[in-house]
Amino acid sequence: MTAAACLWAALTAFSCGIWGPSNGVGGDPAVTPEAVSNIPFLTKEPDRYQADISVTGFDDGEPVIERKYIVAKRGMELSITFEPGTESERRLIELADGRSVIFSDKTGEYTEQKRGPGGNEAARELVRGWLTATPGTKYEKLSTENGVSRYRVSPEGLEGSETIVTYDENRKFPVGTEIYSLRDGKKELAFRYEVSNFRNEPEAGLFEIPEGSRQNKQ
């Protein structure tokens, strides 16, 4: 499977295994960044923030797939806008009362979804930053400039790829991931994850269903 095909599957399901298993195997607990002690930087997202996220897949060094999101968090509440500004725009809202809602601006309809104990795990994969979190992963700090550090991340068992993580030292938050494929001595960019337009206070409207919206009871 090409890098572009892998990313297409990733963007459809919001996960391509880059983060590691979302559920434990054989009774083991799920692997999360907070549970892996050898990561040399903080990975927990702030309790309140809003940011734009773009995810791009490359083939032969050229961008072939791109997806954009607006992510906002307000305590226990989460909002993710998919493909903002397009006809495909829709928004996932996880509310503090336990409800999970998908709203379509195009149709003016919203659908309530069942929500498991851990919330929408697929959506959480997106905000985690597409990192690899396993005890066998190695981290090497490459540089720090203007408060932004770059790390080389070498996941155990993935010798055919190289991951570079960009970390904002002031916000204590990873703001970028680039994954390169290594084949026949060539290094090619296969995947890029970027965080931009970071703000400390999210827009309240991102957590609200607009008045007059109709509930879709499929």
Side-chain angles (χ1 to χ4, degrees), residues 2 12 16 26 29 38 40 46 49 61 78 81 84 88-89 92 96 99 109 117 128 144 152-153 161 163 166 174 184:
T2 66
T12 302
C16 191
N38 67 323
Y49 79 98
L78 174 69
T81 304
S88 302
E89 178 177 327
L92 164 70
R99 288 187 299 156
E109 295 181 335
R128 283 170 177 167
T144 300
R152 178 184 289 117
V153 182
S161 68
T163 301
T166 306
D184 301 324

Side-chain angles (χ1 to χ4, degrees), residues 3 5-11 13-22 31-33 39 55-57 125-126 128-134 137 139 153-156 158 161-165 176-180 190-193:
C6 180
L7 182 62
W8 175 255
L11 295 176
F14 309 115
S15 174
C16 191
I18 296 170
W19 183 256
S22 58
V31 177
T32 64
I39 299 179
V55 182
T56 308
E125 289 289 329
L126 173 67
R128 283 170 177 167
W130 300 79
L131 299 173
T132 298
T134 62
T137 298
Y139 301 85
V153 182
S154 303
E156 189 174 29
L158 292 178
S161 68
E162 178 179 280
T163 301
I164 303 296
V165 173
T177 301
E178 290 185 340
I179 298 178
Y180 295 86
F191 173 92
R192 177 184 288 146
Y193 168 97

Side-chain angles (χ1 to χ4, degrees), residues 57-70:
F58 296 80
D59 201 0
D60 290 330
E62 297 295 327
V64 292
I65 300 172
E66 183 176 21
R67 294 290 182 268
K68 294 183 180 295
Y69 310 86
I70 298 173

Side-chain angles (χ1 to χ4, degrees), residues 8 12 17 21-22 29 35 43 51 55 66 80 88 95 102 111 120 128 135 140-142 183-184 191 216-218:
W8 175 255
T12 302
S22 58
T43 57
V55 182
E66 183 176 21
I80 300 181
S88 302
L95 299 171
I102 292 284
T111 305
N120 190 307
R128 283 170 177 167
E140 176 188 358
K141 190 171 186 178
L142 301 176
R183 289 181 293 182
D184 301 324
F191 173 92
N216 186 340
K217 298 183 178 180
Q218 289 184 344

Side-chain angles (χ1 to χ4, degrees), residues 12 15 17 24 26 34 40 51 54 65 70 79 86 102 113 115 123-125 138-139 150 171-172 185 188 191 193 205:
T12 302
S15 174
E34 293 80 8
S54 65
I65 300 172
I70 298 173
S79 170
T86 72
I102 292 284
Q113 296 186 323
R115 184 169 162 188
R124 303 253 173 219
E125 289 289 329
K138 297 179 180 179
Y139 301 85
R150 296 174 71 248
R171 295 190 181 276
K172 306 298 182 186
E188 287 188 354
F191 173 92
Y193 168 97

Side-chain angles (χ1 to χ4, degrees), residues 159-200:
E159 288 76 13
S161 68
E162 178 179 280
T163 301
I164 303 296
V165 173
T166 306
Y167 182 74
D168 189 320
E169 298 284 356
N170 297 317
R171 295 190 181 276
K172 306 298 182 186
F173 192 62
V175 293
T177 301
E178 290 185 340
I179 298 178
Y180 295 86
S181 62
L182 306 175
R183 289 181 293 182
D184 301 324
K186 291 181 60 178
K187 177 179 173 181
E188 287 188 354
L189 180 61
F191 173 92
R192 177 184 288 146
Y193 168 97
E194 293 180 293
V195 179
S196 61
N197 297 327
F198 199 105
R199 62 177 73 176
N200 293 324

